[in-house]
Structures are given as structure tokens and as C-alpha cells.
Amino acid sequence: MAPANRHASLVIAGESGVLITGPSGSGKTELALALMAHCTAHGRFARLVSDDQVFLSAAAGRLIGRAPPTIAGLAEARGFGPAAIAHQSRAVVDLVVRLVAAEAAPRLHEGEEMHLQGVVVPCLELAARRTQGAVFAVAARLGLPPFS
């Protein structure tokens, strides 16, 4: 299966790859940067893989994401434009975060999944543009501080 180009951001948070999807303007980049800042503040590894577009492919039953070469190492800083940032070339996707309208976001999650490139990945649907709450929901799901 050929790689799929997905409108999303991908970060490594601690030991997990987090793919953040949602419509334009929903806060994908803001959540990616906030999640990386949260991990770094708590002594955990954090790195951008790709911002705005992610090439997804399946390998050995895992979903792998990488940046298109033209945007590798860049993240959008609203009001400034693309800015250079430390990055990893690829990551296994362990969790998908779907940013949705606040009224569509469930209060509790019970085993939601997404099927991408023939691979099933756990999924959280979180309210768009509610970055701080989303950071804590992702941290709780991944067992990152302050959660165990």
C-alpha cells in the first residue's frame, strides 16, 4: 500500500508517537508544541516528526509516520510562518488525537480506535482549540506526568 498524505501533525511524547488530526485551524500545531513543552518540562523526551502533513505507511503491523521532505524540521509559528525546530525523521504512531468541535467531543473515552493504512490505532476525540485540557488528556492516556 502506498503511503498516504494526511493533514496532521506528529510528535513523539515520552515513548509514544501521537498523530494529531483535525480541520484547518483546530489547533493541531498548538497541541503538538504544547505536548512537547509539557514533556520537556517533566524531563521526558519530546520531538516533532512533522507539522501540517504526515506521510503514513504500514510496516510489520505498525503505523509509521514521517515528514514530507519539503517541510521536515519546520513547524508553523502563527503570525511568523514556518520556523526551524528539532525533529525526528519518523515515528511509530501509538495514539491518534482527533480534534473535533467541542460539542462533538465525548467527556469520557472507551476504547475508540481508528483504522489507518490497514492498522488499528487507539484514538482520543478531544475538543479543538482547548489545548491545555487536551495536553492533560493525552498525558493521562500515555501515563505521562502528572499521571502514572
Side-chain angles (χ1 to χ4, degrees), residues 122-134:
C123 178
L124 290 176
E125 287 189 347
L126 302 174
R129 309 291 317 159
R130 301 223 175 129
T131 304
Q132 193 60 46

Side-chain angles (χ1 to χ4, degrees), residues 13 26 28 46-47 58 62 66 91 121 132 139:
S26 61
K28 294 179 296 295
R47 194 68 49 130
R62 306 291 304 268
R66 63 180 174 84
V121 183
Q132 193 60 46

Side-chain angles (χ1 to χ4, degrees), residues 84-134:
I85 189 169
H87 71 287
Q88 292 290 118
S89 62
R90 64 183 38 95
V92 172
V93 176
D94 299 297
L95 177 67
V96 176
V97 174
R98 288 185 57 222
L99 297 178
V100 298
E103 59 274 3
R107 186 158 186 263
L108 301 173
H109 290 273
E110 298 182 18
E112 292 93 346
E113 299 174 330
M114 278 191 80
H115 297 258
L116 296 167
Q117 294 297 100
V119 178
V120 178
V121 183
C123 178
L124 290 176
E125 287 189 347
L126 302 174
R129 309 291 317 159
R130 301 223 175 129
T131 304
Q132 193 60 46

